[in-house]
């Protein structure tokens, strides 16, 4: 498992990726401080994909984790600021409502702020579904393939993320964790395909 918490860069799938500290406003209006290593960007859609850890957030549905990096897709037009250190990002997070009030209002007033229903794009990710009923897995597979993803049945280091259902097997989740592969839920896959954004990710610390 790479060290996204303290390293200035990480090696992910054979590539060295710089780590950024940033302040982000989600589509739910929640500000969070993050560390992110981006490995793919889509400038036309203002999206960036990579590995992240949430350092601080007011979102009750997201647990800040210093241990398990997770896959994330963020809208670049919702980044409030970028910092040299995570300490600076955390200070800015505490002061966000006053320090970035105008910027937050500007983002929220954009007509596309609450998400856009867009046709599937070629995301070129490799995904494995586990722990789903046969019909649900078939539906998710069809959705992923239509969006340009490659669906596989086994976990390997080249896997972008493992999508886990309620009956996900321990062995696949453990292997994914050991290889640094992100764990996500099916609603995140659907959100990614529908809007291009995956603001926060599900993770298991095994």
């Amino acid at each position: 498992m790479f060290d996204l918490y303290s390293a200035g860069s990480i090696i992910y799938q054979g590539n060295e990726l710089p780590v950024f500290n940033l302040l982000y406003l989600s589509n739910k209006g929640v500000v969070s401080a993050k560390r992110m290593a981006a490995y793919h960007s889509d400038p036309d859609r203002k999206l960036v994909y990579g590995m992240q850890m949430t350092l601080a957030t007011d979102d009750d549905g997201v647990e800040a984790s210093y241990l398990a990096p997770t896959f994330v897709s963020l809208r670049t037009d919702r980044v409030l600021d970028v910092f040299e250190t995570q300490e600076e990002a955390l200070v800015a997070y505490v002061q966000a409502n006053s320090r970035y009030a105008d910027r937050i209002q500007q983002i929220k007033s954009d007509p596309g702020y609450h998400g856009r229903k867009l046709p599937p794009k070629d995301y070129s990710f490799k995904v494995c579904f586990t722990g789903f009923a046969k019909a649900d897995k078939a539906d998710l597979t069809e959705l992923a393939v239509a969006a340009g993803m490659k669906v596989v049945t086994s976990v390997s280091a080249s896997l972008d993320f493992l999508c886990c259902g309620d009956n996900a097997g321990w062995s696949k989740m453990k292997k994914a964790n050991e290889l640094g592969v992100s764990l996500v839920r099916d609603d995140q896959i659907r959100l990614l395909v529908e809007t291009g954004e995956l603001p926060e990710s599900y993770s298991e610390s095994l």
Side-chain angles (χ1 to χ4, degrees):
M1 176 70 70
F2 47 73
D3 182 7
L4 189 56
Y5 175 59
S6 60
S9 65
I10 65 171
I11 302 298
Y12 181 72
Q13 296 189 359
N15 298 310
E16 184 174 6
L17 308 176
V19 177
F20 300 93
N21 303 284
L22 54 91
L23 212 60
Y24 186 78
L25 181 70
S26 76
N27 62 350
K28 293 187 291 184
V30 176
V31 175
S32 59
K34 299 178 179 294
R35 279 177 65 78
M36 180 181 186
Y39 63 82
H40 177 69
S41 64
D42 186 340
D44 293 337
R45 304 185 74 209
K46 300 179 181 178
L47 296 172
V48 61
Y49 307 93
M51 305 302 294
Q52 70 105 47
M53 290 195 320
T54 299
L55 301 176
T57 180
D58 290 333
D59 190 347
D60 294 334
V62 177
E63 292 185 8
S65 170
Y66 294 94
L67 299 176
T70 57
F71 172 83
V72 70
S73 167
L74 302 179
R75 286 271 297 272
T76 56
D77 55 345
R78 292 182 188 164
V79 174
L80 299 177
D81 211 342
V82 180
F83 308 91
E84 287 289 330
T85 68
Q86 59 184 296
E87 289 76 18
E88 291 175 320
L90 288 169
V91 169
Y93 166 77
V94 174
Q95 304 171 347
N97 288 333
S98 58
R99 187 171 171 181
Y100 299 96
D102 292 342
R103 174 72 176 130
I104 290 173
Q105 182 57 41
Q106 178 188 27
I107 294 173
K108 288 185 175 181
S109 63
D110 187 287
Y113 169 65
H114 291 291
R116 300 168 293 169
K117 296 296 182 181
L118 301 174
K121 298 291 183 178
D122 180 8
Y123 295 111
S124 301
F125 296 126
K126 185 183 289 187
V127 59
C128 175
F129 296 104
T130 185
F132 295 97
K134 186 175 181 180
D136 293 334
K137 185 174 183 178
D139 178 59
L140 286 166
T141 297
E142 182 179 355
L143 181 73
V145 170
M149 299 182 196
K150 181 178 181 181
V151 179
V152 298
T153 58
S154 60
V155 176
S156 68
S158 65
L159 191 66
D160 287 296
F161 43 86
L162 177 67
C163 185
C164 304
D166 292 337
N167 298 313
W170 172 259
S171 59
K172 279 189 175 180
M173 294 174 71
K174 183 174 184 294
K175 184 175 181 180
N177 188 70
E178 291 172 346
L179 293 173
V181 173
S182 297
L183 307 181
V184 298
R185 300 292 297 208
D186 58 310
D187 58 346
Q188 292 174 269
I189 294 292
R190 297 182 191 281
L191 180 65
L192 177 62
V193 171
E194 289 177 359
T195 70
E197 185 178 16
L198 193 59
E200 299 293 347
S201 294
Y202 166 87
S203 68
E204 290 281 347
S205 184
L206 304 178

